[in-house]
C-alpha cells in the first residue's frame, strides 16, 4: 500500500480487509513462470508459479466439461503442453491472453470436478503461487454390501467397523497402523544437501517399507495416509487415519537444522503435563495457522517449527496421550539400536489443553536430512529397512502389551499365546503393585520377588522389572 496518502490509508485498509479477494490496483503484471501438476487419489492439483501476486477467478462450464481460470495481472511465460495428464480427468490445458494483463487458462475435462482455488505467499522454496485443486466428483457408492445380490452369506458383526474387517482367523480384526509420510507434492519438507533429495521422498520410502514390514506381521495391517507425491492438509491426514480405523498414527519425518552437524532420530508424543506459556502461544499460533499450513490459504510452508506444531496439534486432537508416550518410548528405544538418537527421551510439547483423545499418535523424525552423512544414510534401502524394523518392533511391543479389544493380537494375548520377554515398568501415579501385576499378567508374588520388594509400597517414577511370562504361566 505504498504511495497512498494517509487520509486514504485507513479507508483502504478497511476496504482491503472486507474484500480480501480484491486486488491492488497498481499491481504490475506477473509472469506465470511454470505450472506444476500433482495427482492425489481424489484430486488433481495445479500450481501456477508466479513472479508476483495476482487476482484470479475460477468457474466451471459444462458440455464440454471445462474449468476456466482467469488470472488478472498475469502473462504466460511458460508452456502448458508439457503437463503429465495421465490418470487425471484433465484432457488438455489451453490458454489465451485476453488483454495485456489478463490471462485465461482453460482446462478441458473428461468429467466434471469440484474446483477449489487459493493463492500462496512466497516461502523458502517457492515464490507467489496460485493453487487450483480439482476434486473428483464423489463416485457412486461401492461398499461391499450396497447391493442385496452381492451380500455375503455370513452376516457381518454390526459392532465391527467395515474397514476393520480383515481375513485374520476367528473373525478377529487386525491392529491397524496408519503410516503418514510427511509432506508431499509442492511441500517438499526439509531440503537435503544431497542433490535432488527431499524429505517428502525419504518419508514416503520409509513409510512404504514400514507398511511392507507391518503387513508381514500376522494380526497387523499398515495403511498409508499418503500413497504418492501430493500434498495432504494436516487435518485430512488424521481424518484419513480415522477412516481407515487406525489404532495408531505414525507420522514419518526427517529433521533439518541450520547447523549441518545436528544428527540423530527423535520421537515426539503428546504430553499431559503442563504447557509452558511459550508452548501455549505456539499452540494458539498453530491453531490459527494450521488450516493455512495445510494449504488452503495464504501462508508459507517454510516454518518447520510451525509445521511441526501443526502436526502435533492435529495429532493431539485425537491422541491418547499416555499411550502415545508409551508407544513413543518403545519406538525410540528400538530406534536407538539402529541409529543415533538426537534426544534420549521422547520429546513432548506439553499439550495439556488437548481434548478427548482416541488414536495414540507419534511423530518420528528419522534423522537429520540436513546432515550430509545422515542424508546419505536415509536414502539407502538398508537403513530405511533397519529404521522401519526398529519402529515395527516398538509398535509390536506396545500392542502386545496393550492389544485393542477384538483384535487378533488381543486374542493371542488372552489365550496366552504371546510370550513376553522381561520388561521394565516405570510407576505412574495411581498405580499399585497389584494393578501392575495384573496388567502384565504376572503373579504378584513373582513381581515382588523379582524386584526384591519387602512390601507392596511403590513410588511414582520407580522402575520395576517385569519378569518374562511363559506360555505355561498364563491362565
Ligand atoms: Zn517434516
Amino acid at each position: 500500500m505504498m504511495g497512498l496518502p494517509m487520509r486514504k490509508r485507513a479507508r483502504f485498509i478497511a476496504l482491503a480487509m472486507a474484500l480480501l479477494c480484491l486486488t491492488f490496483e497498481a499491481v504490475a503484471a506477473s509472469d506465470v513462470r511454470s505450472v506444476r501438476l500433482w495427482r492425489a487419489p481424489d484430486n488433481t492439483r495445479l500450481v501456477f508459479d508466479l513472479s508476483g501476486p495476482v487476482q484470479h477467478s475460477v468457474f466451471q462450464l459444462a458440455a464440454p466439461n471445462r474449468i476456466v481460470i482467469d488470472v488478472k495481472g498475469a502473462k504466460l511465460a511458460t508452456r502448458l503442453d508439457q503437463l503429465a495428464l495421465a490418470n487425471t480427468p484433465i484432457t488438455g490445458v489451453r490458454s489465451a491472453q485476453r488483454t495485456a494483463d489478463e490471462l485465461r487458462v482453460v482446462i478441458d475435462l473428461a468429467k466434471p470436478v469440484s474446483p477449489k482455488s487459493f493463492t500462496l505467499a512466497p516461502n523458502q522454496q517457492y515464490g507467489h503461487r496460485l493453487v487450483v485443486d480439482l476434486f473428483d466428483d464423489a463416485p457412486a457408492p461401492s461398499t461391499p454390501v450396497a447391493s442385496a445380490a452381492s451380500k455375503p452369506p455370513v452376516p457381518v458383526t454390526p459392532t465391527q467397523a467395515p474397514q476393520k474387517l480383515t481375513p485374520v482367523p476367528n473373525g478377529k480384526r487386525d491392529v491397524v497402523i496408519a503410516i503418514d509420510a510427511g509432506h508431499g507434492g509442492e511441500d517438499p519438507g526439509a531440503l537435503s544437501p544431497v542433490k535432488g533429495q527431499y524429505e517428502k521422498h525419504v518419508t514416503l520410502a520409509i513409510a512404504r517399507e514400514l507398511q511392507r514390514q507391518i503387513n508381514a506381521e500376522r494380526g497387523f495391517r499398515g495403511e498409508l495416509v499418503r500413497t504418492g507425491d501430493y500434498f495432504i492438509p494436516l487435518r485430512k491426514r488424521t481424518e484419513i487415519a480415522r477412516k481407515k480405523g487406525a489404532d495408531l498414527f505414525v507420522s514419518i519425518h526427517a529433521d533439518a537444522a541450520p547447523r549441518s552437524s545436528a544428527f540423530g532420530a527423535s520421537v515426539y508424543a503428546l504430553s499431559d503435563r503442563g504447557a509452558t506459556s511459550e508452548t501455549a502461544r505456539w499452540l494458539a499460533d498453530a491453531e490459527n495457522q494450521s488450516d493455512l499450513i495445510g494449504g488452503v490459504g495464504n501462508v508459507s510452508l517454510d516454518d518447520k517449527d510451525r509445521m511441526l506444531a501443526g502436526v502435533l496439534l492435529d495429532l493431539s486432537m485425537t491422541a491418547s496421550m499416555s499411550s502415545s508416550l508409551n508407544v513413543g518410548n518403545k519406538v525410540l528405544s528400538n530406534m536407538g539400536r539402529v541409529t543415533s538418537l538426537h534426544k534420549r527421551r521422547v520429546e513432548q510439547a506439553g499439550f495439556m489443553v488437548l481434548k478427548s483423545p482416541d488414536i495414540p499418535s507419534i511423530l518420528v523424525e528419522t534423522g537429520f536430512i540436513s546432515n550430509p552423512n545422515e542424508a546419505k544414510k536415509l536414502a539407502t534401502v538398508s537403513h530405511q529397512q533397519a529404521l522401519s524394523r526398529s519402529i515395527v518392533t516398538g509398535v509390536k511391543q506396545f500392542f502386545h502389551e496393550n492389544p485393542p479389544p477384538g483384535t487378533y493380537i488381543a486374542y493371542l494375548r488372552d489365550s496366552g499365546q504371546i510370550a513376553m520377554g522381561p520388561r521394565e515398568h516405570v510407576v505412574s501415579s495411581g498405580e499399585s503393585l497389584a494393578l501392575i501385576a495384573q496388567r502384565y499378567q504376572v503373579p504378584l508374588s513373582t513381581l515382588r520377588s523379582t524386584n526384591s520388594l519387602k512390601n507392596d509400597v511403590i513410588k511414582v517414577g520407580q522402575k520395576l522389572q517385569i519378569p518374562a511370562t511363559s506360555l505355561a504361566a498364563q491362565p
Side-chain angles (χ1 to χ4, degrees):
M1 62 201 84
M2 51 275 177
L4 278 180
M6 282 303 282
R7 61 191 167 82
K8 277 192 181 169
R9 184 170 279 192
R11 194 152 54 100
F12 177 84
I13 291 169
L15 190 68
M17 288 180 75
L19 303 163
L20 274 174
C21 53
L22 284 194
T23 189
F24 304 106
E25 248 176 58
V27 167
S30 302
D31 285 339
V32 177
R33 288 171 169 163
S34 64
V35 182
R36 293 173 288 128
L37 181 144
W38 311 95
R39 177 62 193 168
D42 65 345
N43 71 79
T44 308
R45 169 167 283 195
L46 282 158
V47 182
F48 296 83
D49 291 299
L50 305 157
S51 63
V54 294
Q55 185 196 14
H56 77 283
S57 62
V58 172
F59 58 96
Q60 185 158 203
L61 297 167
N65 287 307
R66 58 206 193 277
I67 295 278
V68 178
I69 307 164
D70 281 336
V71 193
K72 280 217 179 92
K75 283 186 306 207
L76 191 66
T78 183
R79 289 171 64 182
L80 297 173
D81 57 0
Q82 287 166 330
L83 294 167
L85 304 179
N87 304 318
T88 76
I90 302 174
T91 54
V93 181
R94 327 173 248 136
S95 73
Q97 200 70 43
R98 300 183 78 208
T99 65
D101 68 346
E102 183 168 348
L103 172 70
R104 170 165 286 187
V105 176
V106 179
I107 298 168
D108 295 307
L109 297 161
K111 55 186 181 193
V113 295
S114 306
K116 198 176 160 191
S117 64
F118 52 89
T119 55
L120 289 169
N123 69 10
Q124 230 170 6
Q125 284 103 27
Y126 299 118
H128 287 274
R129 285 155 293 160
L130 165 62
V131 179
V132 181
D133 283 334
L134 306 175
F135 289 91
D136 303 346
D137 273 358
S142 60
T143 51
V145 292
S147 135
S150 68
K151 259 186 191 164
V154 182
V156 172
T157 314
T159 51
Q160 285 176 313
Q163 65 268 33
K164 286 193 177 182
L165 288 176
T166 52
V168 287
N170 312 308
K172 308 290 183 222
R173 70 169 179 87
D174 286 327
V175 170
V176 179
I177 315 296
I179 309 158
D180 173 46
H183 312 278
E186 78 274 20
D187 169 19
L191 301 178
S192 159
V194 178
K195 199 166 180 277
Q197 188 183 21
Y198 297 106
E199 182 186 354
K200 65 174 182 177
H201 295 137
V202 171
T203 60
L204 187 59
I206 295 172
R208 285 202 171 118
E209 174 59 22
L210 198 53
Q211 184 194 36
R212 193 187 64 76
Q213 292 189 14
I214 287 171
N215 285 347
E217 299 285 344
R218 198 172 184 189
F220 287 89
R221 193 172 81 241
E223 293 276 4
L224 291 178
V225 171
R226 174 163 79 81
T227 56
D229 189 13
Y230 51 87
F231 182 77
I232 307 177
L234 296 173
R235 294 215 181 280
K236 182 88 189 295
R237 292 177 189 251
T238 44
E239 195 186 304
I240 291 169
R242 198 169 290 107
K243 279 194 186 134
K244 292 190 184 287
D247 297 292
L248 175 68
F249 182 88
V250 180
S251 193
I252 302 292
H253 288 255
D255 233 326
R259 199 164 46 89
S260 70
S261 57
F263 69 98
S266 7
V267 175
Y268 289 82
L270 300 155
S271 172
D272 52 0
R273 298 188 184 93
T276 63
S277 59
E278 193 191 352
T279 309
R281 271 201 307 277
W282 200 41
L283 260 179
D285 194 27
E287 176 71 291
N288 296 335
Q289 301 281 352
S290 62
D291 270 354
L292 303 174
I293 295 166
V296 287
N298 293 292
V299 77
S300 62
L301 292 163
D302 59 346
D303 190 331
K304 185 77 170 25
D305 280 351
R306 186 171 288 171
M307 183 73 189
L308 188 59
V311 173
L312 287 174
L313 176 74
D314 207 55
L315 299 183
S316 63
M317 291 301 185
T318 58
S320 161
M321 288 180 280
S322 65
S323 292
S324 300
L325 186 58
N326 187 343
V327 70
N329 272 313
K330 289 182 165 65
V331 167
L332 188 71
S333 70
N334 281 285
M335 289 186 84
R337 290 176 195 164
V338 301
T339 192
S340 315
L341 296 181
H342 188 59
K343 295 265 173 67
R344 295 183 160 273
R345 294 179 41 169
V346 171
E347 299 189 55
Q348 295 180 274
F351 293 91
M352 172 180 164
V353 284
L354 304 169
K355 302 155 197 173
S356 38
D358 65 349
I359 309 176
S361 306
I362 55 169
L363 189 146
V364 178
E365 295 280 6
T366 51
F368 279 81
I369 201 173
S370 52
N371 178 311
N373 289 331
E374 207 160 30
K376 271 183 220 142
K377 250 172 88 179
L378 284 168
T380 64
V381 171
S382 59
H383 191 60
Q384 292 174 356
Q385 286 174 341
L387 286 171
S388 300
R389 178 58 56 207
S390 68
I391 296 169
V392 172
T393 305
V395 166
K396 269 173 64 188
Q397 283 170 355
F398 171 76
F399 282 108
H400 282 172
E401 286 174 19
N402 308 278
T407 58
Y408 180 63
I409 302 303
Y411 159 77
L412 285 184
R413 199 182 80 156
D414 295 348
S415 58
Q417 294 180 57
I418 295 178
M420 304 292 296
R423 286 144 289 166
E424 191 179 77
H425 177 86
V426 180
V427 178
S428 316
S429 73
E431 287 182 334
S432 68
L433 199 65
L435 189 93
I436 295 165
Q438 191 190 29
R439 185 173 147 208
Y440 289 99
Q441 299 191 315
V442 294
L444 183 56
S445 55
T446 312
L447 188 58
R448 229 182 261 133
S449 60
T450 307
N451 291 280
S452 315
L453 299 173
K454 294 193 179 70
N455 53 44
D456 289 359
V457 178
I458 48 174
K459 291 180 299 192
V460 171
Q462 186 175 344
K463 288 177 181 170
L464 294 175
Q465 300 308 312
I466 310 295
T469 54
S470 73
L471 301 183
Q474 303 244 350

